[in-house]
Amino acid sequence: MLVIPGRAGKDTCDGVTRRELLRVGGSAVFGISLAGIFGLQKATAKEATYGGPGFGKAKSVILLYLQGGPSHLDLWDPKENVPDNVKSVFKPIGTKIPGVQFTELLPKLASVNDRCTMIRSMSYTPVGLFNHTAAIYQMLTGWTADKVSPSGQLEPPSPKDYPHVGSNIIRLKPPEVPMLPFVMMPRPLQESNVVGKGGTAGFLGRAYDPYTLYPPGDDMDMNKMDRIKTDDLTIREEVTPVRLERRGKLRDLINEGMPDIEEATKKYSLDEYYGKALSLIISGRARNAFELSKEPKELREEYGMNTFGQSCLLARRLIEAGTRFVEVNWPKVANSDNHSWDCHAGLSKRMKDQAAPMLDAGLAALINDLDQRGMLSETLVLAVGEFGRSPQRGVSTSGNENQDDGRDHWPYCYTAVIAGAGVKRGLVYGKSDKTGSAPLENPVHPRDLLATVYHSVGIDPGTIVYNHLNQPRELVQGEAVTSILS
């Protein structure tokens, strides 16, 4: 096999990218045409010039993952002059962007959307039934699952899974200070009894799993963030930092006398992981970041004194302390009631009284807070779910029963909100049709949205990683939406 490398020195997990490794089958080595060689050279040159608007402007990412699938029609893409069973029960209101309307559920976000880009053309056609777990897995890894049950659900998380976008990012762009690289809170991703699918490092290995912060209490407990426990980040009183460092040196001395063990564990980079863990605990940065009580009461109330709002505030504190990637999962499991976005019934009450006020306050406060602190220019903020809701209320699109006051799953058209780190302000990208059923222009697949995230943090989306079978795979087979970046 002939291997023609591209430019050297590219910092990737394996030192190569899709475009840097141009392989020609051994049987064709001596028969390759001049035109073929020029074609390979052109593809390699493309890698050498990879970049573009917004490339590398994000030092960190905050993903507000709205698991459950919020209704775009009842939040940020309302429609008028449509049949009653399509039209939102909520009144439209103006926003900071002339001519752009939200519903009355998002007055605070309407006052800051001039600092965001609204992507109103998120869209994909699912394979089989489009239920939550399969859609969550695709949205967070960029890949479709191999095994899906008749109900659309997946198997539990597996070491063979594709890595979460945050895991890939911290592998390629680790934090520059002793800090937790990737934090996920306040509850795991879940549909029914499938917990955590799409939320792990998969075949990258557990070293790149998120640090999970799941305080005790059920999903209806709005004060659970006041009971955060980070005992694993705390040094026992009788163990001083100096004593802990001495233990580390003792460990190094023992390892020097055990060359066979050292050689056997070399590929796991245990010394590197141990050193990072030791620095993290001694520095105290993570422990201090989790102290929400240090924030002014007025600011905490602005975010919302509930699980989602306080998680958004904590996300800002973690990013400020040096965390690279924070994911705030919507604090109610998909396929459930109350403030879940999965509104097959009771949409008008659940969204108005429970879900929308929390989203409105938390997201608006986060954007405003980051902007006032000068952090928004280098922090990418993304709010998105796995799909939207059906244009017609009371109609089944996924095999679920729906009442007249409910909407079913709808992956063909929905909305994402993105801000910060080179994202254009006051832009509406893409356009949905008259009923919010399909994009009229500029459709954006979840793969493209993830490619945009990688691009923003300075990673070529085509970078190659190797799976559990040592097979080369791209981070994501999508193209960054550079039209929304500057």
Side-chain angles (χ1 to χ4, degrees):
M1 179 174 287
L2 175 65
V3 179
I4 303 177
R7 63 190 175 99
K10 180 85 170 182
D11 183 17
T12 72
C13 62
D14 296 290
V16 293
T17 73
R18 168 181 60 185
R19 304 175 181 88
E20 285 177 317
L21 274 186
L22 302 173
R23 300 176 183 273
V24 182
S27 61
V29 168
F30 299 104
I32 187 169
S33 67
L34 185 61
I37 292 176
F38 288 152
L40 293 177
Q41 291 175 340
K42 181 179 180 181
T44 305
K46 181 181 179 182
E47 167 59 24
T49 59
Y50 183 82
F55 183 72
K57 286 193 175 181
K59 291 185 178 180
S60 52
V61 178
I62 297 176
L63 170 59
L64 306 183
Y65 191 66
L66 310 179
Q67 65 173 343
S71 172
H72 55 298
L73 291 157
D74 296 297
L75 291 174
W76 30 46
D77 193 9
K79 301 297 179 181
E80 296 188 273
N81 302 317
V82 292
D84 287 343
N85 69 338
V86 174
K87 188 175 183 179
S88 175
V89 298
F90 307 112
K91 296 178 182 179
I93 61 172
T95 70
K96 277 293 190 73
I97 304 176
V100 175
Q101 293 184 324
F102 288 171
T103 72
E104 59 185 318
L105 299 182
L106 301 177
K108 295 178 179 179
L109 192 60
S111 70
V112 299
N113 74 327
D114 58 334
R115 294 176 242 179
C116 312
T117 282
M118 310 292 301
I119 303 177
R120 281 179 163 173
S121 54
M122 293 297 301
S123 177
Y124 66 95
T125 300
V127 178
L129 289 175
F130 38 96
N131 283 1
H132 298 282
T133 317
I136 290 171
Y137 185 85
Q138 175 183 249
M139 184 69 254
L140 297 180
T141 69
W143 295 84
T144 55
D146 294 328
K147 295 182 179 180
V148 183
S149 74
S151 69
Q153 293 183 346
L154 305 186
E155 297 177 338
S158 163
K160 301 177 183 179
D161 287 345
Y162 279 93
H164 184 287
V165 56
S167 299
N168 279 325
I169 287 175
I170 65 168
R171 173 66 175 84
L172 300 172
K173 295 278 187 178
E176 299 172 353
V177 295
M179 185 55 188
L180 295 165
F182 175 13
V183 177
M184 183 180 290
M185 58 181 169
R187 69 158 354 272
L189 301 159
Q190 182 176 347
E191 179 189 11
S192 299
N193 62 347
V194 181
V195 181
K197 191 70 172 181
T200 73
F203 60 66
L204 285 186
R206 297 193 64 182
Y208 302 101
D209 276 347
Y211 178 87
T212 56
L213 186 72
Y214 304 152
D218 63 32
D219 289 352
M220 295 301 292
D221 185 348
M222 296 292 109
N223 299 314
K224 64 195 307 180
M225 299 306 289
D226 291 334
R227 297 191 298 277
I228 293 173
K229 292 183 179 180
T230 55
D231 295 341
D232 50 342
L233 301 176
T234 304
I235 305 174
R236 296 200 310 270
E237 291 184 2
E238 67 272 19
V239 182
T240 64
V242 173
R243 185 176 172 188
L244 195 60
E245 287 181 326
R246 287 175 179 170
R247 288 184 181 180
K249 292 178 181 178
L250 178 61
R251 174 184 175 277
D252 293 340
L253 288 173
I254 294 174
N255 281 348
E256 288 176 7
M258 302 176 70
D260 293 338
I261 293 179
E262 183 177 350
E263 181 63 28
T265 60
K266 185 177 181 180
K267 67 176 183 178
Y268 296 105
S269 301
L270 295 182
D271 287 337
E272 178 186 356
Y273 300 147
Y274 184 88
K276 288 180 178 178
L278 189 63
S279 297
L280 176 63
I281 292 173
I282 291 175
S283 74
R285 295 177 71 97
R287 291 195 309 277
N288 293 334
F290 285 116
E291 294 290 338
L292 281 172
S293 60
K294 293 183 178 180
E295 293 290 338
K297 180 182 178 181
E298 295 77 12
L299 183 60
R300 295 191 66 180
E301 290 175 345
E302 183 180 342
Y303 273 89
M305 297 301 292
N306 53 67
T307 306
F308 180 74
Q310 297 305 292
S311 293
C312 290
L313 175 55
L314 182 53
R316 189 224 81 205
R317 289 183 59 84
L318 288 166
I319 293 299
E320 202 169 25
T323 294
R324 182 75 73 192
F325 196 103
V326 178
E327 178 169 328
V328 176
N329 293 326
W330 188 254
K332 192 74 171 75
V333 61
N335 192 20
S336 63
D337 55 7
N338 288 296
H339 59 266
S340 169
W341 292 115
D342 197 22
C343 295
H344 295 278
L347 179 150
S348 57
K349 179 175 176 55
R350 286 165 55 181
M351 289 190 68
K352 181 179 181 180
D353 297 341
Q354 296 177 307
M358 290 193 292
L359 172 64
D360 188 39
L363 178 53
L366 178 62
I367 292 171
N368 190 53
D369 194 11
L370 287 170
D371 204 20
Q372 289 183 349
R373 293 170 183 269
M375 296 172 60
L376 191 59
S377 62
E378 57 187 27
T379 305
L380 190 72
V381 178
L382 173 62
V384 67
E386 59 268 28
F387 40 58
R389 310 304 295 188
S390 60
Q392 296 185 57
R393 294 193 303 275
V395 175
S396 178
T397 61
S398 66
N400 289 287
E401 293 184 2
N402 295 269
Q403 296 181 8
D404 291 341
D405 189 21
R407 298 186 191 266
D408 209 337
H409 308 168
W410 196 260
Y412 307 107
C413 188
Y414 59 109
T415 298
V417 179
I418 187 168
V423 173
K424 293 178 180 178
R425 294 184 171 215
L427 175 68
V428 176
Y429 184 82
K431 182 180 180 181
S432 61
D433 64 14
K434 182 178 180 179
T435 60
S437 302
L440 280 180
E441 56 188 44
N442 298 325
V444 176
H445 194 283
R447 292 190 300 262
D448 301 324
L449 188 62
L450 289 189
T452 307
V453 174
Y454 287 124
H455 177 97
S456 295
V457 297
I459 299 172
D460 181 351
T463 297
I464 296 295
V465 292
Y466 286 82
N467 68 10
H468 60 290
L469 298 177
N470 204 33
Q471 298 168 323
R473 294 290 185 266
E474 293 129 321
L475 293 180
V476 64
Q477 294 178 328
E479 297 294 331
V481 188
T482 55
S483 298
I484 69 171
L485 304 174
S486 59

